[in-house]
Amino acid sequence: AEHQHARYNPLRDDWVLVSAHRVKRPWQGQLEKPPPEDVPRWDPNNPLCPGATRANGEVNPQYEGTFVFPNDFPALQPDAPEPDDSDHPLFRAAPARGVCKVMCFHPWSDLTLPLMSLTEIRAVIDAWAELATELGASYPWVQIFENKGAMMGCSNPHPHCQVWASSFLPNEARLEDQTQRQHLSQHGVPMLLEYAEQEAHRKERLVVENTDWLVVVPYWATWPYQTLLLPRRHVCRLQDLSDSERDSLASIMQRLLIKYDNLFEVSFPYSMGWHGEWRGSTVLSFASPPLPAAHAVPVPVAGAPTGPYLEEDCKHWQLHAHYYPPLLRSATVRKFMVGYEMLAQAQRDLTPEQAAERLRSLPEVHYKQRDK
């Protein structure tokens, strides 16, 4: 806890430098503005609100639960043209096709996930699973992610997430696929299933747990209060969860996010996302071996294997969610990934055990609801 050391991240096959003594240094750097507390419940000018008009002229329905619609400014489109053939292996391009969707969690703009009811959070989980099933039928990778707070690049305070489905395997997914596949081959057990069992036993990085799930600050955490949400049984995809597991997932998400908000008594910013089994080992990623000059990059296969083959390919994967919050010392002091982090390797200013203990000790009643 007092001396610098490096920790290995088996999920990414890299290292993080832990320098816990640095958190004691005085801070004279940038201070962030806390998120606004006066977000209106409904704003006709907010394009995510029920009945509002979006940038493309479409009018949202008067939705009362979750609401999914195509992203008006998608990063991926299904009909993108083929890039030109490469004449040299150092100048390569590959096809990138897909679809991007936006999902509103709730019709109220001032109600974030930790303030929603368990029934409302469960509806979000069900909608995630439906989208994963729908888009996973055509695309090998479906990335569900939420950027919460302006500090994490969110341009709209209305509670929502995004879902991008791609014809290729993205870098982070490809790396996790390789490390988990290797671990199963060498040790005979899925990496994150074994890791969850170890953390449940050790408890020093445990934040919250229930019958089906646990949340830990991972041993290799990079962000100050980074957490990893893990199921206790071997499960590959969101849509594979049982009804009871979805209910307990809603509960543990609520408990974690209340603790996050209570840490600095602010609507806690983060980026989070689900990682689950990808559909089809025949799909090419951008990391294929260098091609001879004057050869084009093959087109990734959008269709995915199904049935027994898909189940076989799933064995090394374990469903999990990453939470990456940037706040370090207070609601106004964030962790910057610059300098050494960009040019050498990740570095953190407090140990994962210290972060877990602080989160674990926080109450599970939201600070805005204590008086109630």
Side-chain angles (χ1 to χ4, degrees), residues 277-350:
E277 183 262 342
W278 63 286
R279 290 181 172 268
S281 59
T282 58
V283 179
L284 299 178
S285 72
F286 294 151
S288 52
L291 298 172
H295 281 71
V297 179
V299 180
V301 180
T306 56
Y309 178 84
L310 179 58
E311 291 304 315
E312 172 123 10
D313 189 64
C314 178
K315 287 181 180 178
H316 60 292
W317 265 101
Q318 176 74 329
L319 177 69
H320 59 281
H322 297 281
Y323 285 84
Y324 298 132
L327 294 179
L328 173 59
R329 300 164 180 245
S330 70
T332 61
V333 178
R334 68 179 298 179
K335 166 68 176 179
F336 288 90
M337 293 294 181
V338 295
Y340 189 86
E341 290 89 353
M342 295 176 68
L343 298 167
Q345 71 180 38
Q347 180 269 335
R348 61 179 289 118
D349 293 339
L350 77 165

Side-chain angles (χ1 to χ4, degrees), residues 119-146:
T119 301
E120 291 166 337
I121 299 174
R122 168 64 195 266
V124 171
I125 294 168
D126 288 341
W128 282 341
E130 290 173 9
L131 281 170
T133 301
E134 172 194 339
L135 298 175
S138 301
Y139 293 97
W141 185 257
V142 179
Q143 183 60 64
I144 299 168
F145 66 97
E146 178 194 5

Side-chain angles (χ1 to χ4, degrees), residues 34-84:
E37 296 284 347
D38 57 348
V39 176
R41 180 155 292 182
W42 182 82
D43 181 355
N45 296 315
N46 186 329
L48 298 186
C49 282
T53 302
R54 302 203 308 273
N56 62 359
E58 292 191 20
V59 179
N60 296 335
Q62 294 291 342
Y63 64 92
E64 298 180 351
T66 59
F67 170 51
V68 179
F69 62 92
N71 195 314
D72 296 328
F73 303 95
L76 292 165
Q77 296 178 331
D79 55 355
E82 294 280 328
D84 293 336

Side-chain angles (χ1 to χ4, degrees), residues 38-306:
D38 57 348
V39 176
R41 180 155 292 182
W42 182 82
D43 181 355
N45 296 315
N46 186 329
L48 298 186
C49 282
T53 302
R54 302 203 308 273
N56 62 359
E58 292 191 20
V59 179
N60 296 335
Q62 294 291 342
Y63 64 92
E64 298 180 351
T66 59
F67 170 51
V68 179
F69 62 92
N71 195 314
D72 296 328
F73 303 95
L76 292 165
Q77 296 178 331
D79 55 355
E82 294 280 328
D84 293 336
D85 290 351
S86 173
D87 62 356
H88 193 280
L90 294 179
F91 301 93
R92 295 166 52 194
R97 301 186 179 93
V99 296
C100 299
K101 293 182 179 289
V102 175
M103 188 179 91
C104 295
F105 296 153
H106 196 278
W108 295 356
S109 293
D110 60 342
L111 203 64
T112 56
L113 279 171
L115 293 170
M116 290 167 56
S117 69
L118 290 178
T119 301
E120 291 166 337
I121 299 174
R122 168 64 195 266
V124 171
I125 294 168
D126 288 341
W128 282 341
E130 290 173 9
L131 281 170
T133 301
E134 172 194 339
L135 298 175
S138 301
Y139 293 97
W141 185 257
V142 179
Q143 183 60 64
I144 299 168
F145 66 97
E146 178 194 5
N147 294 324
K148 182 177 178 233
M151 196 180 299
M152 297 308 292
C154 183
S155 60
N156 193 310
H158 192 96
H160 71 285
C161 72
Q162 298 188 55
V163 183
W164 294 11
S166 61
S167 61
F168 55 88
L169 192 63
N171 293 338
E172 292 296 313
R174 174 177 51 83
L175 187 56
E176 288 194 4
D177 181 69
Q178 292 174 351
T179 57
Q180 291 180 95
R181 189 184 297 274
Q182 184 178 18
H183 187 92
L184 180 65
S185 174
Q186 293 179 349
H187 302 282
V189 60
M191 177 197 296
L192 292 181
L193 182 62
E194 181 178 14
Y195 180 68
E197 292 171 350
Q198 285 289 320
E199 289 288 32
H201 173 72
R202 296 169 186 258
K203 296 190 180 303
E204 57 188 333
R205 285 169 295 275
L206 190 66
V207 178
V208 287
E209 62 177 331
N210 61 25
T211 304
D212 301 310
W213 302 86
L214 68 158
V215 175
V216 300
V217 177
Y219 178 79
W220 53 81
T222 300
W223 294 92
Y225 292 95
Q226 175 181 336
T227 55
L228 184 63
L229 172 56
L230 294 163
R232 292 183 183 272
R233 76 171 178 94
H234 186 205
V235 56
C236 295
R237 297 173 293 269
L238 269 170
Q239 52 268 46
D240 295 338
L241 297 175
S242 67
D243 280 344
S244 61
E245 287 171 329
R246 295 186 188 196
D247 286 341
S248 58
L249 174 56
S251 173
I252 204 165
M253 283 175 55
Q254 184 188 63
R255 294 169 63 194
L256 170 65
L257 297 180
I258 286 175
K259 285 179 178 289
Y260 269 163
D261 280 9
N262 285 344
L263 179 61
F264 299 127
E265 295 197 347
V266 70
S267 185
F268 205 69
Y270 58 75
S271 284
M272 72 80 66
W274 285 99
H275 281 172
E277 183 262 342
W278 63 286
R279 290 181 172 268
S281 59
T282 58
V283 179
L284 299 178
S285 72
F286 294 151
S288 52
L291 298 172
H295 281 71
V297 179
V299 180
V301 180
T306 56

